[in-house]
Amino acid sequence: EPEVTQTPSHQVTQMGQEVILRCVPISNHLYFYWYRQILGQKVEFLVSFYNNEISEKSEIFDDQFSVERPDGSNFTLKIRSTKLEDSAMYFCASSEAVDYGYTFGSGTRLTVV
Amino acid sequence: SQKIEQNSEALNIQEGKTATLTCNYTNYSPAYLQWYRQDPGRGPVFLLLIRENEKEKRKERLKVTFDTTLKQSLFHITASQPADSATYLCAPGAHGNNRLAFGKGNQVVVIP
């Protein structure tokens, strides 16, 4: 069964440093997403991406965040200057269409110290 | 503001019984509603999608209903097994809206 692949599985970074989280969505999917989940809390929407541009973003997705699809397969989330409160599990997801089920990756656990 | 409500208390159920979970939503008019399963430390796994013109959807031992008048979806696991123990998330979605929001989830514990 096709999978969404995320790397790294764990990342520890110093406050103020930049991090890039990487994702390889399912190849024939057209819609890509980033979500985060702070420990013990709900899965929160960050951003959706379609046709090489952001289609929706949440209030969490401020100027510190950016997304890119640098080539035909990778989809990245960059946090420019990490804060302690950015510590969370970050999930990438993809779907064939807007109103189809999403396939999630297994996540990157980001710890900011 | 839009709200998605799922029971915060874990549902403990005996193996073989039917588990029923409720998802209520307010200030939404979703065109469809999705259900996912999440295990600790893992990403959500898509289970079922039910559209506004469908009353019921089934997949193996899972059944979902969608009542747009009550603004509620029910999720049933029949003949529950210990392997069904997980947190189940509901996510109402709107037409053309590319920002699916999730409820906090409802934990199910199936006791052998």
Side-chain angles (χ1 to χ4, degrees):
Chain A
E1 180 140 352
E3 285 184 345
V4 172
T5 307
Q6 288 188 246
T7 53
S9 55
H10 293 89
Q11 173 101 44
V12 181
T13 190
Q14 295 260 337
M15 193 168 59
Q17 294 295 302
E18 174 183 287
V19 293
I20 297 176
L21 310 183
R22 300 179 194 281
C23 170
V24 179
I26 292 174
S27 59
N28 65 335
H29 284 187
L30 301 176
Y31 294 82
F32 314 115
Y33 314 88
W34 282 101
Y35 283 80
R36 79 171 187 192
Q37 187 171 34
I38 294 168
L39 192 63
Q41 298 190 24
K42 67 178 180 178
V43 176
E44 297 178 289
F45 171 80
L46 292 177
V47 67
S48 56
F49 193 86
Y50 169 70
N51 202 25
N52 282 321
E53 60 183 28
I54 289 174
S55 45
E56 303 260 3
K57 60 183 180 179
S58 73
E59 309 67 40
I60 303 166
F61 194 89
D62 62 21
D63 292 343
Q64 294 299 313
F65 290 88
S66 62
V67 288
E68 223 179 27
R69 189 154 159 81
D71 54 44
S73 58
N74 290 285
F75 180 49
T76 61
L77 175 70
K78 184 194 288 187
I79 310 175
R80 264 179 267 284
S81 176
T82 49
K83 307 190 227 1
L84 294 175
E85 54 265 36
D86 294 328
S87 295
M89 187 77 119
Y90 287 80
F91 294 111
C92 173
S94 66
S95 67
E96 286 181 61
V98 172
D99 57 348
Y100 277 47
Y102 293 9
T103 303
F104 280 81
S106 49
T108 293
R109 182 169 297 285
L110 177 66
T111 303
V112 182
V113 296
Chain B
S1 62
Q2 295 174 334
K3 278 189 185 173
I4 306 164
E5 292 172 357
Q6 294 188 258
N7 197 339
S8 55
E9 278 188 36
L11 176 66
N12 294 311
I13 191 158
Q14 209 68 39
E15 183 176 1
K17 300 289 187 188
T18 297
T20 298
L21 306 179
T22 304
C23 174
N24 294 300
Y25 55 89
T26 52
N27 298 322
Y28 259 106
S29 294
Y32 57 89
L33 196 142
Q34 302 189 25
W35 282 90
Y36 289 76
R37 169 188 174 134
Q38 188 176 28
D39 291 285
R42 309 296 297 273
V45 174
F46 171 71
L47 297 174
L48 280 164
L49 184 152
I50 185 166
R51 299 187 189 278
E52 60 185 336
N53 60 347
E54 297 174 313
K55 293 285 186 205
E56 184 179 295
K57 201 88 172 264
R58 289 177 189 259
K59 179 183 172 185
E60 297 168 357
R61 294 182 294 107
L62 307 180
K63 184 177 92 170
V64 169
T65 63
F66 191 13
D67 189 323
T68 54
T69 305
L70 290 179
K71 293 186 181 291
Q72 183 180 84
S73 175
L74 298 180
F75 177 85
H76 307 270
I77 308 171
T78 58
S80 56
Q81 301 168 0
D84 296 326
S85 299
T87 297
Y88 292 86
L89 315 178
C90 82
H95 271 310
N97 184 313
N98 212 2
R99 56 181 296 167
L100 193 67
F102 287 82
K104 285 185 178 175
N106 197 175
Q107 187 185 9
V108 171
V109 178
V110 181
I111 303 158

